[in-house]
Amino acid sequence: MPHKPLVLANWKMNLGVAESVTLARAMGRAYVAAKLGRRVELAVAPAFPALAVVRAALGRSGIGLAAQDAFWKAAGPYTGEVSPAMLRELNVRYVIVGHSERRQYLKETDAMVQQKVLACLAHGLVPVVCVGETLAERQAGQAATVVTRQLTAALSGVTLAAAPGLVVAYEPVWVIGTGKAITPHDAEAVATVLRRTLVGLFSAAAVRRQARLVYGGSVDPTNIRAFVDGGLVSGVLVGGASLEAKRFAALLQQL
Ligand code: PGA
């Protein structure tokens, strides 16, 4: 594995600004005290209003900053949107794109996700492209087809050569937030499909150098090792288990 495992903490819309600062400080202390930076790369994704203060709270801990979304335009009359250029100003490194909650509640399409990916890359941000099947799709035996379609669409027109990096997150929709993860075996089967898709779109060398696959969906301190140990994914995207400092530190300690 060329990189340290990557852990992305997705706080979603769960924490207020003050709560985000408190959690960032606690995580920063735990990360430094246990010298976790030697073993794991960590970035946290607070809600937009908390990005700047969380960045300050993380200080020199070595924990990076991620955003939960970005719009595809750099600036202009797009009420309510946040541009990759603004995120760059805040030292954001990773941007979650196409999360299933946005696909579901905000009707984000593969075409929108693709525009966001291109915009992030153009601004030196690393997109974390989320793909995953619903329960109905899995039961119909379509998991591989669905994630391949989502990934191919999201990466249409993308060149890896000049990219700051690319993260693909396999997040089965039916697992997110349930507390019951997919079996590592099933996750690896889909991760294999995704890796093959990436190699087909770029090249094995480019994928090895610049792309990372992570798993997300009910990752917790008891199951994280099983996902990362298989070697097919090189990190995790964590929602619920990242919201409490002690539990999250316990999760990181597993790596
Ligand atoms: P969860 O969320 O860990 O709470 O399942 C993961 C995600 O949606 O990224």
Side-chain angles (χ1 to χ4, degrees):
M1 209 51 42
H3 309 272
K4 287 183 261 190
L6 172 66
V7 177
L8 293 161
N10 178 9
W11 294 349
K12 309 191 181 185
M13 207 180 70
N14 286 306
L15 302 174
V17 175
E19 290 169 323
S20 300
V21 169
T22 304
L23 182 57
R25 285 207 186 106
M27 279 189 184
R29 279 194 300 269
Y31 192 73
V32 170
K35 298 191 169 63
L36 287 166
R38 291 183 183 171
R39 313 209 298 262
V40 43
E41 180 186 350
L42 171 62
V44 298
F48 286 134
L51 275 171
V53 285
V54 163
R55 183 185 79 167
L58 293 171
R60 293 170 187 277
S61 63
I63 300 176
L65 200 56
Q68 297 178 18
D69 186 35
F71 194 54
W72 54 80
K73 296 281 190 183
Y78 306 102
T79 303
E81 293 301 327
V82 174
S83 78
M86 295 168 186
L87 299 175
R88 248 325 260 254
E89 277 190 82
L90 291 171
N91 280 356
V92 166
R93 174 158 176 76
Y94 296 98
V95 181
I96 299 170
V97 175
H99 191 281
S100 62
E101 286 150 13
R102 297 197 61 83
R103 294 181 192 255
Q104 184 184 349
Y105 301 122
L106 283 304
K107 302 287 173 269
E108 275 195 13
T109 62
D110 286 341
M112 290 158 80
V113 174
Q114 182 237 5
Q115 293 200 65
K116 292 180 175 197
V117 169
L118 289 173
C120 286
L121 291 172
H123 287 87
L125 297 162
V126 179
V128 179
V129 183
C130 299
V131 298
E133 79 286 359
T134 62
L135 185 58
E137 288 163 341
R138 169 153 290 262
Q139 285 170 342
Q142 291 169 351
T145 318
V146 168
V147 298
T148 303
R149 187 205 73 221
Q150 289 175 331
L151 189 61
T152 307
L155 299 181
S156 152
V158 167
T159 42
L160 268 193
L166 171 72
V167 177
V168 175
Y170 170 50
E171 296 215 308
V173 179
W174 50 281
V175 170
I176 294 173
T178 61
K180 272 178 78 184
I182 189 173
T183 66
H185 178 265
D186 285 349
E188 291 207 353
V190 178
T192 303
V193 169
L194 291 171
R195 188 165 295 280
R196 269 196 213 124
T197 306
L198 284 172
V199 168
L201 290 170
F202 306 109
S203 71
V207 170
R208 214 177 310 116
R209 215 175 32 241
Q210 271 160 299
R212 281 189 273 186
L213 263 177
V214 301
Y215 167 77
S218 295
V219 174
D220 65 27
T222 68
N223 63 24
I224 184 170
R225 273 227 76 100
F227 290 110
V228 177
D229 276 355
L232 260 170
V233 301
S234 50
V236 286
L237 186 50
V238 187
S242 71
L243 294 172
E244 203 268 302
K246 263 203 186 128
R247 184 158 182 240
F248 191 58
L251 180 148
L252 296 173
Q253 293 282 6
Q254 299 299 315
L255 295 173

